[in-house]
Amino acid sequence: MNDKRDKTSLRLSLIDNAYDSLNESLAYVETALTDHTRWKFAVLNLVHAVELVVKQRLHDEHELLIWEDVDRPGRTAPLDKALVRLKNIGVGVKRPELEAIRTAIRWRNNITHYEVDLIAEEVRENYLLIFEFLDSFHHQHFFGSLSDRIDDSHVQTAMDLVDSFGKEFVEFRGRPMHRRWPRLLVAAQETKEFIFQNFSYARLPWGSETHWSTWMKDDSPLDYCPDCATAIHEFHGPNCDQEECPRCGGQLLSCDCDFDEDPFWGLDSVALGELPDAP
């Protein structure tokens, strides 16, 4: 028996789907003010919006660029691969924004597939940076303001985010960082070693990681860490994805070494007034 009832189409273009996800994200930002667990949904939807906007820009360049395998269209390219293609067609993404997006991708994967272990303040700061990227990227590559695509009920939230970015982020070592980050970086220098089962392991400053003498021996470290902005010979900041574990040699952020308690591990949640002044 044929069902002749009218069916409602849910088809959205890439860019319209992005706007829809952005509005969903803003709605979760509003609820996150009283329930911090909502940040995970705000992140999921914002990253989805960024992914679709990036793919729309690739599609505008050539429709095949959105596919993971351009010779066999079927599955669209993941966001990290889409970002590489943006660079290849001459559309640059600034390093701080790129790092923020990559951090959000990692969070999205953890939220989707693993456990959720996020710090609300850190998520919010990264959210501000990504939102600023989305607003700027849309302005550069698409007609009209992004604010025109935001539902009236969420416009004030979007305006507050833009205002917060201007107030809370500063230029630090050539890149936008949250205003509290320089003081966190100073505090991180106080921890010079980690303790594991009564054995001490000296931390590795930026530029002293073992890979610079092994598989990256033909390269040289940048003046400042691309993630935490610490300088050569300085220790990394909390949760930096570039710091090497001095015990196992893996990434400190993700390794299984269960070091003893140290003030370093709680720096991300320390109140600004409790930190030493930056020099």
Side-chain angles (χ1 to χ4, degrees):
M1 180 177 175
N2 293 329
D3 187 354
K4 296 183 179 180
R5 291 175 297 179
D6 291 337
K7 294 181 173 63
T8 302
S9 174
L10 296 178
R11 182 178 178 84
L12 293 173
S13 66
L14 281 171
I15 195 67
D16 286 335
N17 201 359
Y19 298 145
D20 189 55
S21 290
L22 174 60
N23 279 288
E24 282 290 311
S25 179
L26 292 172
Y28 280 117
V29 169
E30 292 161 4
T31 60
L33 297 176
T34 55
D35 181 1
H36 288 170
T37 65
R38 302 298 92 180
W39 275 116
K40 65 180 182 180
F41 298 111
V43 168
L44 285 172
N45 282 280
L46 184 64
V47 174
H48 188 238
V50 169
E51 181 171 8
L52 293 174
V53 166
V54 167
K55 289 178 180 178
Q56 181 66 63
R57 177 62 182 85
L58 289 173
H59 184 274
D60 292 345
E61 190 75 18
H62 195 289
E63 60 183 20
L64 289 178
L65 289 176
I66 69 170
W67 304 109
E68 185 169 21
D69 185 344
V70 296
D71 294 320
R72 300 178 61 186
R75 183 169 63 179
T76 59
L79 180 53
D80 52 354
K81 192 169 186 176
L83 289 168
V84 171
R85 287 184 180 171
L86 270 186
K87 181 179 179 181
N88 290 340
I89 65 172
V91 179
V93 178
K94 295 178 181 178
R95 181 178 290 275
E97 296 166 339
L98 189 60
E99 293 298 331
I101 294 170
R102 286 173 175 166
T103 298
I105 292 173
R106 186 173 67 249
W107 286 342
R108 179 186 64 179
N109 293 340
N110 288 340
I111 291 169
T112 305
H113 303 292
Y114 303 101
E115 60 185 23
V116 179
D117 184 16
L118 305 175
I119 299 171
E121 291 78 8
E122 183 183 0
V123 174
R124 179 183 174 278
E125 291 167 14
N126 215 56
Y127 188 100
L128 286 175
L129 193 56
I130 299 172
F131 184 86
E132 176 70 12
F133 160 76
L134 182 60
D135 187 35
S136 175
F137 187 84
H138 186 278
H139 176 74
Q140 293 176 35
H141 300 286
F142 299 96
F143 179 78
S145 170
L146 184 64
S147 61
D148 295 336
R149 306 294 182 171
I150 295 174
D151 293 345
D152 290 344
S153 58
H154 305 313
V155 167
Q156 187 59 53
T157 299
M159 292 175 62
D160 290 344
L161 289 171
V162 172
D163 184 57
S164 294
F165 181 86
K167 292 179 178 178
E168 297 180 30
F169 279 75
V170 297
E171 189 78 10
F172 178 65
R173 292 176 172 173
R175 57 185 294 185
M177 302 289 282
H178 195 272
R179 61 183 177 81
R180 72 191 183 109
W181 186 253
R183 295 173 69 182
L184 283 170
L185 205 54
V186 169
Q189 307 308 305
E190 297 301 313
T191 298
K192 296 176 172 54
E193 61 183 23
F194 297 132
I195 306 299
F196 182 87
Q197 296 181 353
N198 296 323
F199 286 94
S200 62
Y201 296 86
R203 294 180 66 197
L204 298 173
W206 171 238
S208 301
E209 295 83 0
T210 57
H211 58 252
W212 297 115
S213 60
T214 54
W215 60 278
M216 291 189 68
K217 62 182 180 180
D218 294 330
D219 297 317
S220 299
L222 301 172
D223 290 339
Y224 302 115
C225 171
D227 186 35
C228 71
T230 197
I232 293 286
H233 305 313
E234 290 181 354
F235 294 122
H236 292 275
N239 288 322
C240 176
D241 63 14
Q242 298 292 313
E243 180 160 8
E244 179 180 329
C245 173
R247 177 175 178 268
C248 71
Q251 183 191 49
L252 180 67
L253 183 63
S254 60
C255 76
D256 294 325
C257 297
D258 189 15
F259 292 107
D260 291 355
E261 290 294 323
D262 188 279
F264 176 81
W265 306 116
L267 281 179
D268 264 343
S269 58
V270 172
L272 190 63
E274 298 174 13
L275 291 170
D277 290 330

mmCIF file of all heavy atoms in Angstrom, residues 43-44 47 79-80 98-118 122 126 130 227 238-242 251 253-254 268:
data_model
loop_
_atom_site.group_PDB
_atom_site.id
_atom_site.type_symbol
_atom_site.label_atom_id
_atom_site.label_comp_id
_atom_site.label_asym_id
_atom_site.label_seq_id
_atom_site.Cartn_x
_atom_site.Cartn_y
_atom_site.Cartn_z
ATOM 1 N N VAL A 43 29.850 22.831 22.623
ATOM 2 C CA VAL A 43 31.061 22.526 21.856
ATOM 3 C C VAL A 43 30.741 21.658 20.654
ATOM 4 O O VAL A 43 31.190 21.933 19.529
ATOM 5 C CB VAL A 43 32.109 21.828 22.750
ATOM 6 C CG1 VAL A 43 33.242 21.251 21.902
ATOM 7 C CG2 VAL A 43 32.668 22.800 23.781
ATOM 8 N N LEU A 44 29.963 20.601 20.860
ATOM 9 C CA LEU A 44 29.622 19.696 19.764
ATOM 10 C C LEU A 44 28.981 20.446 18.604
ATOM 11 O O LEU A 44 29.338 20.251 17.439
ATOM 12 C CB LEU A 44 28.671 18.601 20.263
ATOM 13 C CG LEU A 44 29.274 17.489 21.117
ATOM 14 C CD1 LEU A 44 28.167 16.596 21.683
ATOM 15 C CD2 LEU A 44 30.263 16.649 20.325
ATOM 16 N N VAL A 47 31.517 23.091 16.865
ATOM 17 C CA VAL A 47 32.485 22.433 15.991
ATOM 18 C C VAL A 47 31.800 21.961 14.710
ATOM 19 O O VAL A 47 32.363 22.051 13.617
ATOM 20 C CB VAL A 47 33.162 21.248 16.707
ATOM 21 C CG1 VAL A 47 34.061 20.474 15.749
ATOM 22 C CG2 VAL A 47 33.984 21.738 17.886
ATOM 23 N N LEU A 79 37.137 17.283 9.478
ATOM 24 C CA LEU A 79 37.469 18.697 9.644
ATOM 25 C C LEU A 79 38.972 18.951 9.566
ATOM 26 O O LEU A 79 39.404 19.929 8.941
ATOM 27 C CB LEU A 79 36.915 19.217 10.971
ATOM 28 C CG LEU A 79 37.184 20.685 11.305
ATOM 29 C CD1 LEU A 79 36.748 21.601 10.184
ATOM 30 C CD2 LEU A 79 36.475 21.057 12.609
ATOM 31 N N ASP A 80 39.800 18.110 10.186
ATOM 32 C CA ASP A 80 41.234 18.359 10.154
ATOM 33 C C ASP A 80 41.773 18.315 8.729
ATOM 34 O O ASP A 80 42.641 19.107 8.350
ATOM 35 C CB ASP A 80 41.983 17.379 11.056
ATOM 36 C CG ASP A 80 41.636 15.928 10.785
ATOM 37 O OD1 ASP A 80 40.735 15.660 9.969
ATOM 38 O OD2 ASP A 80 42.276 15.052 11.405
ATOM 39 N N LEU A 98 43.640 27.795 14.742
ATOM 40 C CA LEU A 98 43.822 26.411 14.331
ATOM 41 C C LEU A 98 43.994 25.504 15.544
ATOM 42 O O LEU A 98 43.402 24.420 15.618
ATOM 43 C CB LEU A 98 45.042 26.297 13.405
ATOM 44 C CG LEU A 98 45.261 24.955 12.694
ATOM 45 C CD1 LEU A 98 44.074 24.617 11.807
ATOM 46 C CD2 LEU A 98 46.536 24.991 11.872
ATOM 47 N N GLU A 99 44.784 25.956 16.517
ATOM 48 C CA GLU A 99 44.986 25.163 17.727
ATOM 49 C C GLU A 99 43.689 25.051 18.530
ATOM 50 O O GLU A 99 43.390 23.992 19.096
ATOM 51 C CB GLU A 99 46.089 25.791 18.592
ATOM 52 C CG GLU A 99 47.476 25.748 17.984
ATOM 53 C CD GLU A 99 47.972 24.329 17.758
ATOM 54 O OE1 GLU A 99 47.558 23.428 18.505
ATOM 55 O OE2 GLU A 99 48.769 24.119 16.832
ATOM 56 N N ALA A 100 42.918 26.136 18.569
ATOM 57 C CA ALA A 100 41.640 26.101 19.284
ATOM 58 C C ALA A 100 40.679 25.110 18.639
ATOM 59 O O ALA A 100 39.988 24.352 19.319
ATOM 60 C CB ALA A 100 41.017 27.496 19.322
ATOM 61 N N ILE A 101 40.648 25.104 17.307
ATOM 62 C CA ILE A 101 39.767 24.171 16.596
ATOM 63 C C ILE A 101 40.213 22.731 16.828
ATOM 64 O O ILE A 101 39.390 21.837 17.052
ATOM 65 C CB ILE A 101 39.743 24.499 15.085
ATOM 66 C CG1 ILE A 101 39.097 25.869 14.859
ATOM 67 C CG2 ILE A 101 38.972 23.431 14.309
ATOM 68 C CD1 ILE A 101 39.240 26.385 13.439
ATOM 69 N N ARG A 102 41.527 22.498 16.781
ATOM 70 C CA ARG A 102 42.036 21.145 17.006
ATOM 71 C C ARG A 102 41.736 20.663 18.421
ATOM 72 O O ARG A 102 41.423 19.495 18.641
ATOM 73 C CB ARG A 102 43.543 21.102 16.729
ATOM 74 C CG ARG A 102 43.874 21.154 15.232
ATOM 75 C CD ARG A 102 45.362 21.282 15.000
ATOM 76 N NE ARG A 102 45.683 21.204 13.569
ATOM 77 C CZ ARG A 102 46.848 21.545 13.046
ATOM 78 N NH1 ARG A 102 47.823 21.981 13.839
ATOM 79 N NH2 ARG A 102 47.051 21.439 11.746
ATOM 80 N N THR A 103 41.839 21.582 19.386
ATOM 81 C CA THR A 103 41.478 21.233 20.764
ATOM 82 C C THR A 103 40.006 20.857 20.850
ATOM 83 O O THR A 103 39.635 19.870 21.491
ATOM 84 C CB THR A 103 41.766 22.414 21.714
ATOM 85 O OG1 THR A 103 43.161 22.691 21.705
ATOM 86 C CG2 THR A 103 41.331 22.082 23.136
ATOM 87 N N ALA A 104 39.159 21.637 20.178
ATOM 88 C CA ALA A 104 37.721 21.358 20.183
ATOM 89 C C ALA A 104 37.413 20.035 19.492
ATOM 90 O O ALA A 104 36.505 19.309 19.905
ATOM 91 C CB ALA A 104 36.958 22.495 19.507
ATOM 92 N N ILE A 105 38.160 19.708 18.432
ATOM 93 C CA ILE A 105 37.973 18.422 17.752
ATOM 94 C C ILE A 105 38.281 17.292 18.720
ATOM 95 O O ILE A 105 37.545 16.288 18.800
ATOM 96 C CB ILE A 105 38.878 18.322 16.508
ATOM 97 C CG1 ILE A 105 38.416 19.306 15.423
ATOM 98 C CG2 ILE A 105 38.869 16.896 15.944
ATOM 99 C CD1 ILE A 105 39.366 19.385 14.232
ATOM 100 N N ARG A 106 39.375 17.452 19.489
ATOM 101 C CA ARG A 106 39.728 16.430 20.478
ATOM 102 C C ARG A 106 38.639 16.297 21.539
ATOM 103 O O ARG A 106 38.263 15.192 21.928
ATOM 104 C CB ARG A 106 41.070 16.784 21.117
ATOM 105 C CG ARG A 106 41.596 15.703 22.070
ATOM 106 C CD ARG A 106 43.002 16.013 22.555
ATOM 107 N NE ARG A 106 43.056 17.185 23.418
ATOM 108 C CZ ARG A 106 43.613 18.337 23.098
ATOM 109 N NH1 ARG A 106 44.150 18.497 21.906
ATOM 110 N NH2 ARG A 106 43.627 19.343 23.953
ATOM 111 N N TRP A 107 38.120 17.442 21.994
ATOM 112 C CA TRP A 107 37.042 17.405 22.966
ATOM 113 C C TRP A 107 35.812 16.715 22.383
ATOM 114 O O TRP A 107 35.166 15.905 23.050
ATOM 115 C CB TRP A 107 36.669 18.816 23.399
ATOM 116 C CG TRP A 107 37.657 19.464 24.307
ATOM 117 C CD1 TRP A 107 38.635 18.845 25.029
ATOM 118 C CD2 TRP A 107 37.774 20.860 24.581
ATOM 119 N NE1 TRP A 107 39.356 19.769 25.742
ATOM 120 C CE2 TRP A 107 38.848 21.010 25.498
ATOM 121 C CE3 TRP A 107 37.092 21.989 24.157
ATOM 122 C CZ2 TRP A 107 39.242 22.250 25.990
ATOM 123 C CZ3 TRP A 107 37.484 23.224 24.640
ATOM 124 C CH2 TRP A 107 38.536 23.343 25.553
ATOM 125 N N ARG A 108 35.487 17.065 21.134
ATOM 126 C CA ARG A 108 34.319 16.460 20.489
ATOM 127 C C ARG A 108 34.457 14.947 20.426
ATOM 128 O O ARG A 108 33.504 14.215 20.723
ATOM 129 C CB ARG A 108 34.134 17.019 19.082
ATOM 130 C CG ARG A 108 32.950 16.422 18.333
ATOM 131 C CD ARG A 108 32.875 16.891 16.897
ATOM 132 N NE ARG A 108 34.025 16.447 16.114
ATOM 133 C CZ ARG A 108 34.179 16.707 14.814
ATOM 134 N NH1 ARG A 108 33.273 17.418 14.168
ATOM 135 N NH2 ARG A 108 35.238 16.280 14.166
ATOM 136 N N ASN A 109 35.637 14.483 20.059
ATOM 137 C CA ASN A 109 35.854 13.037 19.972
ATOM 138 C C ASN A 109 35.723 12.370 21.334
ATOM 139 O O ASN A 109 35.155 11.276 21.451
ATOM 140 C CB ASN A 109 37.234 12.752 19.370
ATOM 141 C CG ASN A 109 37.329 13.170 17.914
ATOM 142 O OD1 ASN A 109 36.311 13.335 17.241
ATOM 143 N ND2 ASN A 109 38.536 13.350 17.419
ATOM 144 N N ASN A 110 36.251 13.027 22.371
ATOM 145 C CA ASN A 110 36.134 12.472 23.718
ATOM 146 C C ASN A 110 34.683 12.451 24.186
ATOM 147 O O ASN A 110 34.226 11.481 24.800
ATOM 148 C CB ASN A 110 36.984 13.273 24.706
ATOM 149 C CG ASN A 110 38.465 13.043 24.510
ATOM 150 O OD1 ASN A 110 38.867 12.045 23.914
ATOM 151 N ND2 ASN A 110 39.288 13.947 25.001
ATOM 152 N N ILE A 111 33.966 13.539 23.899
ATOM 153 C CA ILE A 111 32.560 13.616 24.298
ATOM 154 C C ILE A 111 31.746 12.543 23.586
ATOM 155 O O ILE A 111 30.868 11.903 24.172
ATOM 156 C CB ILE A 111 31.987 15.016 23.970
ATOM 157 C CG1 ILE A 111 32.614 16.072 24.897
ATOM 158 C CG2 ILE A 111 30.460 15.032 24.124
ATOM 159 C CD1 ILE A 111 32.304 17.503 24.479
ATOM 160 N N THR A 112 32.043 12.337 22.311
ATOM 161 C CA THR A 112 31.260 11.403 21.499
ATOM 162 C C THR A 112 31.594 9.952 21.787
ATOM 163 O O THR A 112 30.700 9.092 21.831
ATOM 164 C CB THR A 112 31.491 11.686 20.003
ATOM 165 O OG1 THR A 112 31.195 13.060 19.738
ATOM 166 C CG2 THR A 112 30.583 10.819 19.145
ATOM 167 N N HIS A 113 32.875 9.654 22.004
ATOM 168 C CA HIS A 113 33.309 8.259 22.060
ATOM 169 C C HIS A 113 33.845 7.802 23.412
ATOM 170 O O HIS A 113 33.915 6.600 23.668
ATOM 171 C CB HIS A 113 34.386 8.010 21.003
ATOM 172 C CG HIS A 113 33.944 8.341 19.610
ATOM 173 N ND1 HIS A 113 32.981 7.612 18.955
ATOM 174 C CD2 HIS A 113 34.342 9.323 18.751
ATOM 175 C CE1 HIS A 113 32.801 8.128 17.744
ATOM 176 N NE2 HIS A 113 33.605 9.168 17.598
ATOM 177 N N TYR A 114 34.235 8.744 24.273
ATOM 178 C CA TYR A 114 34.873 8.339 25.511
ATOM 179 C C TYR A 114 34.189 9.022 26.695
ATOM 180 O O TYR A 114 33.009 9.297 26.672
ATOM 181 C CB TYR A 114 36.369 8.686 25.478
ATOM 182 C CG TYR A 114 37.087 8.046 24.306
ATOM 183 C CD1 TYR A 114 37.391 8.788 23.168
ATOM 184 C CD2 TYR A 114 37.447 6.700 24.336
ATOM 185 C CE1 TYR A 114 38.043 8.207 22.086
ATOM 186 C CE2 TYR A 114 38.100 6.105 23.266
ATOM 187 C CZ TYR A 114 38.391 6.856 22.147
ATOM 188 O OH TYR A 114 39.017 6.272 21.081
ATOM 189 N N GLU A 115 34.946 9.281 27.735
ATOM 190 C CA GLU A 115 34.382 9.936 28.900
ATOM 191 C C GLU A 115 34.531 11.447 28.773
ATOM 192 O O GLU A 115 35.336 11.940 27.988
ATOM 193 C CB GLU A 115 35.089 9.450 30.164
ATOM 194 C CG GLU A 115 36.573 9.729 30.167
ATOM 195 C CD GLU A 115 37.289 9.135 31.362
ATOM 196 O OE1 GLU A 115 36.766 8.174 31.943
ATOM 197 O OE2 GLU A 115 38.365 9.644 31.704
ATOM 198 N N VAL A 116 33.776 12.170 29.557
ATOM 199 C CA VAL A 116 33.831 13.626 29.523
ATOM 200 C C VAL A 116 34.612 14.113 30.734
ATOM 201 O O VAL A 116 34.232 13.884 31.868
ATOM 202 C CB VAL A 116 32.413 14.237 29.534
ATOM 203 C CG1 VAL A 116 32.496 15.759 29.525
ATOM 204 C CG2 VAL A 116 31.611 13.742 28.350
ATOM 205 N N ASP A 117 35.761 14.732 30.490
ATOM 206 C CA ASP A 117 36.600 15.247 31.568
ATOM 207 C C ASP A 117 37.099 16.623 31.147
ATOM 208 O O ASP A 117 38.238 16.784 30.730
ATOM 209 C CB ASP A 117 37.766 14.294 31.842
ATOM 210 C CG ASP A 117 38.608 14.738 33.035
ATOM 211 O OD1 ASP A 117 38.115 15.576 33.812
ATOM 212 O OD2 ASP A 117 39.750 14.264 33.176
ATOM 213 N N LEU A 118 36.219 17.612 31.230
ATOM 214 C CA LEU A 118 36.539 18.955 30.760
ATOM 215 C C LEU A 118 36.432 19.953 31.913
ATOM 216 O O LEU A 118 35.681 19.749 32.856
ATOM 217 C CB LEU A 118 35.583 19.380 29.639
ATOM 218 C CG LEU A 118 35.484 18.458 28.418
ATOM 219 C CD1 LEU A 118 34.410 18.967 27.483
ATOM 220 C CD2 LEU A 118 36.813 18.360 27.701
ATOM 221 N N GLU A 122 38.037 26.395 30.922
ATOM 222 C CA GLU A 122 38.861 26.172 29.742
ATOM 223 C C GLU A 122 38.003 26.012 28.495
ATOM 224 O O GLU A 122 38.330 26.527 27.422
ATOM 225 C CB GLU A 122 39.736 24.925 29.937
ATOM 226 C CG GLU A 122 40.678 24.655 28.773
ATOM 227 C CD GLU A 122 41.474 23.379 28.948
ATOM 228 O OE1 GLU A 122 41.300 22.698 29.977
ATOM 229 O OE2 GLU A 122 42.261 23.050 28.043
ATOM 230 N N ASN A 126 38.058 28.483 25.146
ATOM 231 C CA ASN A 126 38.277 27.948 23.812
ATOM 232 C C ASN A 126 37.067 28.223 22.920
ATOM 233 O O ASN A 126 37.206 28.498 21.724
ATOM 234 C CB ASN A 126 38.552 26.445 23.883
ATOM 235 C CG ASN A 126 39.545 25.991 22.830
ATOM 236 O OD1 ASN A 126 40.658 26.501 22.759
ATOM 237 N ND2 ASN A 126 39.142 25.046 22.000
ATOM 238 N N ILE A 130 36.995 30.075 19.203
ATOM 239 C CA ILE A 130 36.429 29.435 18.012
ATOM 240 C C ILE A 130 35.266 30.262 17.463
ATOM 241 O O ILE A 130 35.114 30.404 16.244
ATOM 242 C CB ILE A 130 35.973 27.995 18.324
ATOM 243 C CG1 ILE A 130 37.166 27.152 18.776
ATOM 244 C CG2 ILE A 130 35.324 27.351 17.101
ATOM 245 C CD1 ILE A 130 36.777 25.788 19.292
ATOM 246 N N ASP A 227 51.262 25.750 21.236
ATOM 247 C CA ASP A 227 50.038 25.532 22.009
ATOM 248 C C ASP A 227 49.946 26.492 23.189
ATOM 249 O O ASP A 227 48.993 27.250 23.306
ATOM 250 C CB ASP A 227 49.965 24.088 22.498
ATOM 251 C CG ASP A 227 48.650 23.788 23.188
ATOM 252 O OD1 ASP A 227 47.619 24.341 22.767
ATOM 253 O OD2 ASP A 227 48.638 23.008 24.155
ATOM 254 N N PRO A 238 49.875 24.590 31.860
ATOM 255 C CA PRO A 238 49.002 23.456 32.185
ATOM 256 C C PRO A 238 48.196 22.986 30.979
ATOM 257 O O PRO A 238 47.698 23.788 30.198
ATOM 258 C CB PRO A 238 48.082 24.012 33.280
ATOM 259 C CG PRO A 238 48.129 25.499 33.102
ATOM 260 C CD PRO A 238 49.509 25.798 32.608
ATOM 261 N N ASN A 239 48.127 21.657 30.830
ATOM 262 C CA ASN A 239 47.354 21.020 29.751
ATOM 263 C C ASN A 239 47.878 21.335 28.357
ATOM 264 O O ASN A 239 47.140 21.208 27.376
ATOM 265 C CB ASN A 239 45.868 21.390 29.846
ATOM 266 C CG ASN A 239 45.180 20.715 31.005
ATOM 267 O OD1 ASN A 239 45.457 19.561 31.316
ATOM 268 N ND2 ASN A 239 44.286 21.429 31.672
ATOM 269 N N CYS A 240 49.144 21.688 28.235
ATOM 270 C CA CYS A 240 49.722 21.922 26.917
ATOM 271 C C CYS A 240 49.885 20.592 26.194
ATOM 272 O O CYS A 240 50.416 19.631 26.767
ATOM 273 C CB CYS A 240 51.072 22.617 27.048
ATOM 274 S SG CYS A 240 51.903 22.842 25.452
ATOM 275 N N ASP A 241 49.455 20.536 24.941
ATOM 276 C CA ASP A 241 49.538 19.265 24.216
ATOM 277 C C ASP A 241 50.925 19.023 23.611
ATOM 278 O O ASP A 241 51.147 18.009 22.944
ATOM 279 C CB ASP A 241 48.448 19.166 23.139
ATOM 280 C CG ASP A 241 48.578 20.220 22.043
ATOM 281 O OD1 ASP A 241 49.641 20.868 21.943
ATOM 282 O OD2 ASP A 241 47.612 20.396 21.281
ATOM 283 N N GLN A 242 51.873 19.955 23.860
ATOM 284 C CA GLN A 242 53.231 19.788 23.353
ATOM 285 C C GLN A 242 54.195 19.255 24.417
ATOM 286 O O GLN A 242 55.316 18.865 24.084
ATOM 287 C CB GLN A 242 53.762 21.126 22.828
ATOM 288 C CG GLN A 242 52.985 21.709 21.663
ATOM 289 C CD GLN A 242 53.127 20.884 20.403
ATOM 290 O OE1 GLN A 242 54.215 20.495 20.020
ATOM 291 N NE2 GLN A 242 52.003 20.609 19.739
ATOM 292 N N GLN A 251 52.982 11.913 25.292
ATOM 293 C CA GLN A 251 52.383 13.222 25.509
ATOM 294 C C GLN A 251 51.885 13.293 26.949
ATOM 295 O O GLN A 251 51.064 12.483 27.376
ATOM 296 C CB GLN A 251 51.226 13.441 24.535
ATOM 297 C CG GLN A 251 50.587 14.815 24.635
ATOM 298 C CD GLN A 251 49.292 14.906 23.846
ATOM 299 O OE1 GLN A 251 48.425 14.041 23.967
ATOM 300 N NE2 GLN A 251 49.163 15.941 23.028
ATOM 301 N N LEU A 253 49.856 15.191 28.399
ATOM 302 C CA LEU A 253 48.417 15.437 28.494
ATOM 303 C C LEU A 253 47.603 14.154 28.441
ATOM 304 O O LEU A 253 46.525 14.069 29.035
ATOM 305 C CB LEU A 253 47.989 16.377 27.362
ATOM 306 C CG LEU A 253 46.528 16.824 27.319
ATOM 307 C CD1 LEU A 253 46.188 17.638 28.555
ATOM 308 C CD2 LEU A 253 46.262 17.638 26.060
ATOM 309 N N SER A 254 48.101 13.137 27.745
ATOM 310 C CA SER A 254 47.292 11.934 27.522
ATOM 311 C C SER A 254 47.914 10.645 28.038
ATOM 312 O O SER A 254 47.313 9.586 27.891
ATOM 313 C CB SER A 254 47.002 11.782 26.019
ATOM 314 O OG SER A 254 48.220 11.669 25.285
ATOM 315 N N ASP A 268 44.663 25.213 36.178
ATOM 316 C CA ASP A 268 43.564 25.678 35.330
ATOM 317 C C ASP A 268 42.354 26.115 36.137
ATOM 318 O O ASP A 268 41.514 26.864 35.637
ATOM 319 C CB ASP A 268 43.146 24.579 34.348
ATOM 320 C CG ASP A 268 43.821 24.762 32.994
ATOM 321 O OD1 ASP A 268 44.313 25.864 32.742
ATOM 322 O OD2 ASP A 268 43.848 23.809 32.212
#
